[in-house]
């Protein structure tokens, strides 16, 4: 399975912070926002990853992430000339995806929870068709909402309904089989001129091949689409890391624990960053 991080858009809800820099390059506490969705793909065992961004920002991502070899990964990059909807990622990534299944994650999603790695592994191993996620929220009217039956078959997806049919919002994390490329290519742009991810999901829904995986108590999904959301996400990460002494979305640690890199590589990265708390943490992992 391959992974795509969609890190495009103008981030207008965060202006003026994002007038000169991509939202996903802004910090969430001690690391760039894009580290958090990247860590999700890595925890799912995905090592070939395509980053999609704007013409003005793509070079910054290449500078930040490189070719991925230092983490045992392989990064590719693709420019999205203008916002054309989430499902445009599959059209832009057609050559990258090839004959593989694919996971799409939005570049501003932050997930954290003890059981999350196991959940991702289960979805990767069992995915047949498409799998979306459902996260319980207090007021679902501000989200896409998924309705499902007892076998986790999706019955409907509604965008910001006035009367939600469930309390489960749909986060920006999607798993698809290889048919998604052809499906996306066949979608007519909406009135907004975008190739909607909901239209892709509805094709799988009509075919009876759309499942939902619930993310329950003990797992956090944080919205970073506003200044207030970014502040709260940063405070959450700081609180967990300070109290537990364990880092969230430390991509070097994940690469080491997943066996993508060895202890020597981790030590080398830690030495390069030893003047920072981040680097000291990496070296502490080896001592422990």
């Amino acid at each position: 399975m391959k992974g795509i991080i969609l890190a495009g858009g103008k981030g207008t809800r965060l202006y003026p912070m994002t007038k000169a820099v991509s939202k996903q390059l802004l910090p969430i506490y001690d690391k760039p926002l894009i580290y958090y969705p990247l860590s999700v793909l890595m925890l799912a065992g995905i090592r070939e990853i395509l980053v999609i961004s704007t013409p003005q920002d793509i070079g910054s991502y290449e500078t930040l992430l490189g070719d991925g070899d230092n983490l045992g990964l392989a990064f590719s990059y693709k420019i999205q000339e203008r916002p054309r909807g989430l499902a445009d990622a599959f059209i832009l990534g057609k050559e990258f995806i090839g004959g593989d299944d694919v996971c799409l994650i939005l570049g501003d999603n932050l997930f954290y929870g003890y059981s999350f790695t196991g959940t991702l592994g289960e979805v990767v191993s069992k995915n047949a068709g498409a799998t979306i996620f459902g996260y319980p929220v207090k007021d679902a009217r501000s989200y896409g909402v998924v309705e499902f039956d007892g076998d986790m078959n999706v019955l409907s997806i509604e965008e910001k309904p006035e009367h939600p049919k469930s309390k489960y919002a749909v986060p920006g994390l999607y798993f698809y089989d290889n048919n998604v490329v052809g499906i996306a290519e066949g979608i007519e742009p909406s009135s907004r001129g975008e190739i909607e991810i909901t239209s892709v999901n509805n094709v799988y829904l009509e075919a009876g091949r759309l499942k939902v995986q619930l993310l329950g108590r003990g797992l956090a999904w944080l919205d970073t689409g506003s200044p207030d959301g970014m502040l709260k996400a940063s405070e959450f990460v700081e609180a967990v890391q300070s109290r537990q002494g364990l880092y969230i979305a430390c991509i070097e640690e994940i690469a080491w624990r997943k066996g993508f890199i060895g202890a020597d590589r981790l030590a080398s990265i830690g030495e390069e960053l030893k003047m920072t708390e981040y680097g000291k943490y990496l070296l502490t992992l080896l001592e422990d």
Side-chain angles (χ1 to χ4, degrees):
M1 178 171 284
K2 294 178 180 175
I4 297 177
I5 302 175
L6 188 55
K10 296 181 178 180
T12 52
R13 291 171 62 197
L14 291 169
Y15 271 20
M17 287 190 292
T18 51
K19 287 191 73 173
V21 63
S22 173
K23 175 174 69 173
Q24 290 83 7
L25 293 171
L26 294 176
I28 296 296
Y29 187 50
D30 59 350
K31 57 189 77 71
L33 173 55
I34 196 172
Y35 273 36
Y36 296 88
L38 171 57
S39 71
V40 172
L41 297 181
M42 295 174 68
L43 289 171
I46 296 171
R47 301 176 69 172
E48 295 180 71
I49 298 167
L50 174 66
V51 178
I52 298 176
S53 191
T54 64
Q56 60 267 33
D57 293 317
I58 198 72
S60 296
Y61 288 107
E62 291 183 279
T63 299
L64 175 66
L65 300 172
D67 62 7
D69 182 65
N70 205 39
L71 296 171
L73 305 175
F75 287 116
S76 301
Y77 299 90
K78 194 78 175 182
I79 291 173
Q80 188 180 46
E81 295 289 347
R82 60 182 179 84
R84 292 189 65 236
L86 305 187
D88 186 42
F90 305 117
I91 299 173
L92 291 172
K94 179 178 181 178
E95 183 177 341
F96 166 78
I97 297 169
D100 293 306
D101 293 348
V102 63
C103 172
L104 172 66
I105 187 167
L106 306 190
D108 58 359
N109 273 238
L110 192 160
F111 297 91
Y112 177 73
Y114 177 75
S115 62
F116 192 42
T117 301
T119 298
L120 291 171
E122 182 179 345
V123 171
V124 170
S125 65
K126 294 183 178 180
N127 185 60
T131 302
I132 60 175
F133 291 81
Y135 185 85
V137 294
K138 185 176 181 180
D139 185 357
R141 291 176 297 176
S142 299
Y143 303 91
V145 177
V146 58
E147 177 192 15
F148 50 91
D149 64 19
D151 294 321
M152 298 294 109
N153 297 304
V154 176
L155 301 177
S156 70
I157 303 175
E158 298 178 290
E159 288 296 326
K160 300 180 180 179
E162 182 61 31
H163 303 287
K165 295 178 180 177
S166 83
K167 65 178 181 179
Y168 288 91
V170 181
L173 176 62
Y174 315 88
F175 287 82
Y176 297 100
D177 63 19
N178 192 253
N179 292 315
V180 72
V181 176
I183 291 171
E185 289 179 322
I187 297 295
E188 290 292 328
S190 66
S191 58
R192 301 190 301 169
E194 297 190 356
I195 303 169
E196 306 285 356
I197 196 73
T198 299
S199 298
V200 170
N201 289 335
N202 280 333
V203 172
Y204 281 99
L205 173 60
E206 291 167 6
R209 303 184 68 233
L210 181 61
K211 291 280 191 177
V212 62
Q213 176 72 46
L214 301 185
L215 301 173
R217 181 173 297 186
L219 190 137
W221 168 49
L222 302 180
D223 178 21
T224 60
S226 67
D228 188 55
M230 293 194 73
L231 175 61
K232 289 180 179 178
S234 292
E235 290 174 339
F236 176 84
V237 173
E238 188 279 332
V240 171
Q241 294 186 178
S242 296
R243 295 189 183 193
Q244 293 188 343
L246 301 173
Y247 275 36
I248 297 176
C250 179
I251 56 177
E252 294 84 1
E253 177 184 6
I254 296 171
W256 174 58
R257 293 195 184 279
K258 297 290 286 185
F260 301 166
I261 62 174
D264 290 345
R265 180 71 58 81
L266 184 66
S268 175
I269 298 172
E271 284 293 330
E272 291 176 9
L273 302 173
K274 66 181 180 182
M275 75 295 296
T276 68
E277 291 301 314
Y278 193 92
K280 293 174 184 176
Y281 174 73
L282 296 180
L283 295 174
T284 301
L285 293 173
L286 295 172
E287 294 173 2
D288 294 342

